[in-house]
Amino acid sequence: MILSDDLEFAPLAVVAITRALWRYRSELTPLTTALLTFVSGVILHTGYPTWWPTVLILTAVLAWVLVFFGRWVNLTRRVERGYAAAVVLLVGGWIATAAALGPFTSPLPALLGIGGVLTALPWWAHRRRRARVRVERTLAAWPDIAQAVGLTGSRIQSAIVDLWGYRARIALARGQTVEDAIAKIPALESALGTRRGSARIQPIPERANRLELRIIETDPHADAIAWPGPSITSIIQPVKLGVFEDGSPVRVSLLRRHALVGGVAGAGKSGGVNIVLGDLSACPDVVIWGVDLKRGMELLPWASCLDRLATTPQEAETLMRDAVAILDGRADALAQHGKRVWEPRPDAPALIVLIDEYAELVDDAPGAIRHADSIARRGRAVAVTLVAATQRPSQKAMGQGAVRSQMDVRLSFRVRERRDVDLILGQGMLKSGWHSHTLNAPGKFLISAPEHDIPRRARTYLLDDAGVQRTATHHAPRRPALDPVSVAALEATTPTAQATPDGANPPKHARPDGTQDAENAMWTALRDAPADGVSIDDLMRTTGMGRSWIYYRLQEHARSERVIQVSRGRWRATPEP
């Protein structure tokens, strides 16, 4: 403050004091409350001393409302509602007593002072109040901030403080776009004094010149989030992959949708695949096939829930060829019945082919790539879909077909380079604010899907190895088998069946290569089984196949009267007469 001879001190002092009182109005709220309480007691005692019962009744009602309905006024925590109710009871009780006896009656003045101090301490220490004050002061300087970062003319419409930071709705000036603001995120973080990577900008669909600026001061995804268990019981329900930063669940439908999961090694891609498998394994109306050319390192723990698992290039090419055969068989069946869409049921399940590290197929199994391209183009209507995971889905890595362009659901975990964002999520997504290269922890991801068209950071659930084992063991006995239409389609494309070691023919749709070896090994174990039979677990160890595959093959043999069930869970070959 600069004084000169032609300025009077009093007006300047009044202005300075008023500004200070306004700036620190939140900190002075306890003092203001105590002063208003005292004045109210004086007024009631002077003019309306008989109103004290009414004051007590209103106080009790207001305290009850705050305790049970405080969420309506943003008192989300129980301790906040309790504090508000206690203050109301203290203030109302003091005013009623002062109205009846007089505000200067001992010990009312002392009680007002002590009560004011005791209620002021929690108020001053309250984290969210202090955060709200800080945000208000920061956003009060928005005109200067906007000018500094190149958004001159934009203005704050509203702001909300939450547990993790604050959100502000901003109206842009004429000619400014959300993309302009997204490009200035680093400058905004500097001007607001926040840490790097804490600013999020999301468009508001209703208005092209509106956006939501979100500042994350405490990362809600700093710690891993345990998987709560399967969230669906049918493929027609959306899978729950994790949670967004605001705590809402990430749900996406995989029915008749191909999905692409991308991210560098260690970014959480395999964890995301585990969550998908954890939910799908609980669905009795979907059959899961897996391709894992890392010798089954990623998918083998789920083998008991997979109807088929290919771990070599030859098996992968055979599996993908069979998926196309099922696609064609279902399409023919639909055409014959005058239908256009395959509706999944337990007796007519959907088929999902999950491929871990899709890029390996390009070099090692080019035939599988051709079949995958056919599935991507034609598989939706017949409920034969792909879920492909890869580190960098470039055109070379994904082959020259239409697989990548047909992926409706895309999950991008952390990528190393900015250009990789567009490779996973689609052309132009980086410019639109999809910054998966800035994700800073394993399991964090961005999802692009028809129901998720705004960049929102999320974190997938954590399903550890023990959880995978428990989940697979629990759901394996209830996994469905392929429907008759699909089995017939496989039989029609299978070469002449090879006889099993004892001369009996295996099921017509038994597959060659590694699966045929497993069939032969299972038949040998059944033929050599003792009188009490061999267990399902022993057959799984002998063949290296999953529980669903074992049950399916046993049912085929039982229908042909080649095997018998000795007791619950134990089987053997039918004794020769």
Side-chain angles (χ1 to χ4, degrees), residues 168-185:
R169 186 183 179 105
I170 297 176
L172 298 173
R174 180 173 299 178
Q176 296 175 349
T177 65
V178 176
E179 287 72 19
D180 295 335
I182 290 174
K184 301 180 186 302
I185 284 180

Side-chain angles (χ1 to χ4, degrees), residues 32-51:
T32 305
T33 302
L35 181 61
L36 293 175
T37 300
F38 181 79
V39 172
S40 299
V42 171
I43 294 174
L44 287 176
H45 179 68
T46 302
Y48 312 96
T50 60
W51 283 22

Side-chain angles (χ1 to χ4, degrees), residues 461-476:
Y461 294 117
L462 174 63
L463 180 57
D464 56 19
D465 293 341
V468 169
Q469 183 64 36
R470 288 193 304 270
T471 304
T473 302
H474 178 71
H475 294 297

Side-chain angles (χ1 to χ4, degrees), residues 55-374:
V55 174
L56 284 179
I57 294 173
L58 293 176
T59 298
V61 171
L62 181 57
W64 181 83
V65 170
L66 288 174
V67 168
F68 292 99
F69 303 99
R71 289 186 177 88
W72 294 357
V73 290
N74 203 30
L75 297 176
T76 56
R77 300 172 61 193
R78 183 179 301 176
V79 65
E80 293 175 343
R81 297 194 295 273
Y83 171 80
V87 171
V88 167
L89 290 174
L90 178 63
V91 170
W94 194 94
I95 292 175
T97 305
L101 304 177
F104 296 101
T105 302
S106 181
L108 290 181
L111 289 177
L112 182 61
I114 296 172
V117 173
L118 293 178
T119 56
L121 293 177
W123 176 263
W124 290 330
H126 190 232
R127 182 186 61 83
R128 195 159 60 169
R129 182 204 64 82
R130 290 185 285 114
R132 184 168 58 249
V133 171
R134 185 177 67 254
V135 169
E136 288 175 354
R137 293 172 183 171
T138 300
L139 298 182
W142 179 258
D144 296 334
I145 293 174
Q147 185 176 2
V149 302
L151 295 175
T152 304
S154 61
R155 66 185 188 278
I156 301 290
Q157 292 186 309
S158 61
I160 299 175
V161 178
D162 55 30
L163 292 175
W164 314 112
Y166 61 91
R167 292 171 292 168
R169 186 183 179 105
I170 297 176
L172 298 173
R174 180 173 299 178
Q176 296 175 349
T177 65
V178 176
E179 287 72 19
D180 295 335
I182 290 174
K184 301 180 186 302
I185 284 180
L188 277 170
E189 291 172 344
S190 174
L192 293 171
T194 65
R195 59 180 176 83
R196 291 188 61 184
S198 64
R200 317 275 193 267
I201 288 181
Q202 297 178 359
I204 296 176
E206 294 78 12
R207 299 287 295 274
N209 63 339
R210 299 288 189 272
L211 62 86
E212 181 182 87
L213 171 65
R214 181 173 176 83
I215 301 297
I216 303 296
E217 296 178 331
T218 303
D219 189 357
H221 292 158
D223 299 321
I225 307 169
W227 185 55
S231 61
I232 60 175
T233 57
S234 172
I235 187 62
I236 65 175
Q237 299 169 336
V239 174
K240 186 164 70 172
L241 301 175
V243 293
F244 289 113
E245 287 180 326
D246 61 2
S248 60
V250 183
R251 297 183 183 273
V252 64
S253 175
L254 295 180
L255 177 61
R256 281 185 264 281
R257 288 181 179 177
H258 305 300
L260 175 64
V261 183
V264 299
K269 183 173 71 273
S270 297
V273 171
N274 279 339
I275 298 302
V276 172
L277 285 170
D279 268 8
L280 293 181
S281 66
C283 300
D285 55 358
V286 58
V287 167
I288 311 169
W289 288 3
V291 177
D292 183 0
L293 296 190
K294 292 185 289 187
R295 299 300 176 183
M297 186 173 64
E298 297 294 344
L299 298 185
L300 199 56
W302 292 100
S304 60
C305 290
L306 302 180
D307 190 65
R308 288 177 62 176
L309 175 61
T311 59
T312 66
Q314 295 77 15
E315 292 176 355
E317 188 165 344
T318 301
L319 183 147
M320 298 302 291
R321 181 174 64 244
D322 290 348
V324 173
I326 290 175
L327 185 157
D328 292 333
R330 290 183 173 185
D332 291 341
L334 289 175
Q336 292 174 6
H337 291 84
K339 298 180 179 179
R340 298 175 57 88
V341 175
W342 183 276
E343 298 294 345
R345 305 186 310 270
D347 59 342
L351 174 61
I352 290 183
V353 182
L354 196 151
I355 305 172
D356 187 72
E357 200 47 62
Y358 186 92
E360 296 292 331
L361 295 180
V362 177
D363 297 327
D364 297 338
I369 294 295
R370 293 192 298 271
H371 298 312
D373 183 74
S374 180

Side-chain angles (χ1 to χ4, degrees), residues 424-442:
I424 297 175
L425 297 174
Q427 192 66 31
M429 300 298 273
L430 174 65
K431 184 179 179 181
S432 299
W434 300 75
H435 295 165
S436 53
H437 62 289
T438 63
L439 299 174
N440 57 3

